[in-house]
Amino acid sequence: MDVSWTLWALTILGLCALIAVDFLIGRKPHDVSIKEAGIWTIVWIVLAVLFGIGLLVFGNSQASGEFFAGFITEKSLSVDNLFVFILIMAKFSVPSHLQQRVLLVGVLIALVLRAIFIAAGAAIIGTFSWVFYIFGAFLIYTAWKLIQEARAGEEEEEIEDNRLLKSVQNRFGVADRYHGTKLFIEKNGKRILTPLMVVMIAIGTTDVLFALDSIPAIFGLTQDPYIVFTANAFALMGLRQLYFLIGGLLKKLVHLSYGLSVILGFIGVKLVLHALHENGVHVPEISISFSLAVICGVLVITTITSLIASKKQSEREAAEGKDDQDKVEGKDSEGKADIEA
């Protein structure tokens, strides 16, 4: 898709305007209700759909299909990121009324850094076609790693290994409590960080680590930098509201990592096939329509199986709890009988 500098400028200005509106509405720290999160989640999804339709009308079906495939993939990967965001919030005991500010600034940091990643990735791909082999192999490896982590339950490792966060804490020092929305305070004549700033850095840098998976994934669906950037932008900018909307539901998506591993593995294979095709090897290429169908199908199946598994687990725990209660009541009855005797 041929995108002029004017269209790039208008797109970035439009996204900045949307971010400004979102920031102004959420500028006052408050507890985000389910209703507010739900409304804004719908707004961001509708805007993404309208943008995709705009690509269809003013561009072509290929560009529109690539955008939707990329957006759905990035959004599903972002949902998996929310698990780690929840862990970060819990680790730093972030007050509920400050969480939306943390997520907003953290997402902005991630968006800027991802734009740099995308520009670099597009330049590398444009110069070295063999990079598709590396991206494909990396995604297949990531898919395998996701399955291993899902079995081992090692999500918290990514927080503990954040060296940038540790170096910032050691270099500047951190206040012992939150000071509203302040990011820095003066203590004993020295400027130090507040816990709020530390959490924002943690959210932003952790999401960049996730970009190492998602950027190659979306380049496996499209090599158009404009579509890669806009799909990432729309997926990220609705992440804050999604956090508050489905925070409780995340625990029920027990098979999400398995679904994402299938998607990443599929895109990895698609990249390798594309690289072989570019090198003159006669291999079948996977169309964007088929890719979109696979991505949506895997997510639907994963969600259904997750909810079924969660329901069975809840029923099992309820039954075990009832058995334990019956045993306690039985012992109490025996004790009373002995006393009476």
Side-chain angles (χ1 to χ4, degrees):
M1 180 177 174
D2 187 21
V3 180
S4 66
W5 286 108
T6 302
L7 181 57
W8 265 108
L10 290 174
T11 301
I12 292 173
L13 286 174
L15 291 173
C16 288
L18 292 173
I19 292 171
V21 171
D22 192 16
F23 185 83
L24 289 173
I25 290 176
R27 69 186 183 279
K28 184 178 179 180
H30 64 284
D31 291 325
V32 179
S33 65
I34 296 296
K35 181 180 178 181
E36 178 184 346
I39 290 173
W40 274 101
T41 296
I42 293 172
V43 167
W44 284 118
I45 292 175
V46 168
L47 288 173
V49 171
L50 290 176
F51 184 83
I53 294 173
L55 288 176
L56 176 63
V57 174
F58 299 103
N60 52 61
S61 59
Q62 177 75 11
S64 179
E66 289 177 353
F67 171 79
F68 282 119
F71 172 72
I72 293 171
T73 299
E74 293 299 313
K75 179 65 76 175
S76 59
L77 288 170
S78 296
V79 170
D80 192 46
N81 298 3
L82 293 182
F83 283 108
V84 177
F85 289 175
I86 290 172
L87 289 173
I88 291 175
M89 296 289 191
K91 179 180 179 180
F92 290 99
S93 302
V94 181
S96 58
H97 66 282
L98 293 176
Q99 290 183 7
Q100 52 92 21
R101 177 64 62 86
V102 170
L103 289 168
L104 178 60
V105 176
V107 165
L108 288 178
I109 294 173
L111 189 57
V112 172
L113 294 177
R114 283 198 186 201
I116 298 172
F117 272 46
I118 291 167
I124 293 172
I125 287 174
T127 307
F128 307 105
S129 61
W130 50 261
V131 79
F132 285 117
Y133 289 111
I134 297 177
F135 277 6
F138 180 75
L139 288 178
I140 293 171
Y141 167 75
T142 302
W144 174 81
K145 186 180 177 183
L146 263 179
I147 295 176
Q148 297 300 110
E149 289 180 352
R151 290 178 176 177
E154 296 175 350
E155 293 91 343
E156 199 162 354
E157 181 181 316
E158 297 193 53
I159 302 172
E160 301 298 334
D161 289 344
N162 195 328
R163 295 181 180 180
L164 174 61
L165 176 59
K166 289 182 179 180
S167 65
V168 169
Q169 288 176 306
N170 295 333
R171 172 67 178 82
F172 294 97
V174 182
D176 57 358
R177 64 182 179 84
Y178 286 89
H179 293 264
T181 57
K182 292 182 179 179
L183 304 180
F184 298 91
I185 63 167
E186 294 285 342
K187 185 176 182 180
N188 298 327
K190 182 181 178 182
R191 190 176 179 83
I192 64 173
L193 302 175
T194 65
L196 187 66
M197 184 63 174
V198 176
V199 178
M200 287 180 179
I201 294 172
I203 293 289
T205 56
T206 299
D207 195 78
V208 170
L209 294 177
F210 285 124
L212 296 176
D213 301 336
S214 63
I215 297 301
I218 194 168
F219 270 117
L221 297 168
T222 175
Q223 286 82 59
D224 190 326
Y226 182 75
I227 296 176
V228 172
F229 175 73
T230 51
N232 263 275
F234 278 107
L236 278 176
M237 284 166 23
L239 191 59
R240 180 170 67 93
Q241 290 79 12
L242 201 62
Y243 171 87
F244 295 103
L245 182 63
I246 66 172
L249 180 62
L250 284 175
K251 296 179 180 179
K252 295 184 179 181
L253 298 178
V254 294
H255 295 159
L256 179 62
S257 292
Y258 295 102
L260 293 178
S261 69
V262 172
I263 291 173
L264 291 178
F266 168 77
I267 297 175
V269 172
K270 183 178 185 295
L271 270 173
V272 172
L273 290 175
H274 177 74
L276 290 171
H277 183 79
E278 290 291 309
N279 290 334
V281 180
H282 295 289
V283 293
E285 279 211 273
I286 301 173
S287 68
I288 194 64
S289 57
F290 183 75
S291 299
L292 186 58
V294 170
I295 292 167
C296 292
V298 169
L299 290 176
V300 169
I301 293 172
T302 299
T303 301
I304 293 174
T305 58
S306 293
L307 294 177
I308 292 173
S310 295
K311 184 179 179 180
K312 290 181 178 179
Q313 179 65 23
S314 298
E315 292 174 349
R316 190 160 48 246
E317 290 176 354
E320 290 174 356
K322 185 178 179 181
D323 290 340
D324 292 340
Q325 183 64 31
D326 290 341
K327 290 179 181 178
V328 171
E329 291 177 355
K331 289 181 179 180
D332 289 342
S333 299
E334 292 175 3
K336 289 179 181 179
D338 292 338
I339 293 172
E340 292 175 358

